[in-house]
Amino acid sequence: MSAQLYPAAKDLAKVLWQHHTVYRERDGGMVIRGEHVQRWISLGVAGTRGDVRIRAGLILDGGTTAPARTETVVPLAAGTAEMAAACRRLLADLTSAAEPPTSTRPAREPRPPKAPKARRGRGRGRGRRVVAWILGVAAISAITLYALAAYSASLGG
């Protein structure tokens, strides 16, 4: 069955998009990518009766694919025209789902801009780090002087 998917995918890709890429998935299914429309379609075996599971999804920035948003099952024997119609329905559903919903409520009035806040001095955190370094160096110096004094006292000096 998966051997029949490749010719079906090639024919379907030619019908759907002029510019496309067709490749095989690891599970034996076929993927049709339409980079110019930022959409993909996947054809896979659905059961043992000769059905094809068709899924559609978006291509994200950078070329990665988002998970499928819509899917349907069509018999492979139905032919390219019926599969293309099913794909177009999925792509239409995908496009309508990708658009932001329109609101029936009136838009709120924009709020007046807030007054700018007074800028704090740059490096407030930097001052704390400097103080911490100074205290650390002072502590290490005090410990070192104490150790040297104890050592010289033990030598009898």
Side-chain angles (χ1 to χ4, degrees), residues 26-122:
R26 287 186 205 120
D27 64 355
M30 299 302 298
V31 176
I32 306 167
R33 288 176 65 110
E35 298 288 340
H36 62 292
V37 292
Q38 297 295 303
R39 305 286 187 262
W40 60 266
I41 293 178
S42 170
L43 304 176
V45 177
T48 58
R49 297 177 302 173
D51 292 337
V52 177
R53 181 177 57 149
I54 302 174
R55 300 181 307 147
L58 299 172
I59 298 175
L60 305 175
D61 293 337
T64 60
T65 57
R69 290 195 173 181
T70 58
E71 71 177 63
T72 188
V73 176
V74 177
L76 184 61
T80 304
E82 188 174 328
M83 284 199 299
C87 289
R88 287 187 182 109
R89 281 191 302 271
L90 292 178
L91 292 170
D93 291 344
L94 186 66
T95 302
S96 65
E99 294 174 355
T102 57
S103 176
T104 58
R105 296 187 318 174
R108 285 195 270 173
E109 294 180 21
R111 293 183 181 176
K114 294 182 180 179
K117 294 182 181 179
R119 289 190 64 168
R120 294 181 181 169
R122 193 179 144 206

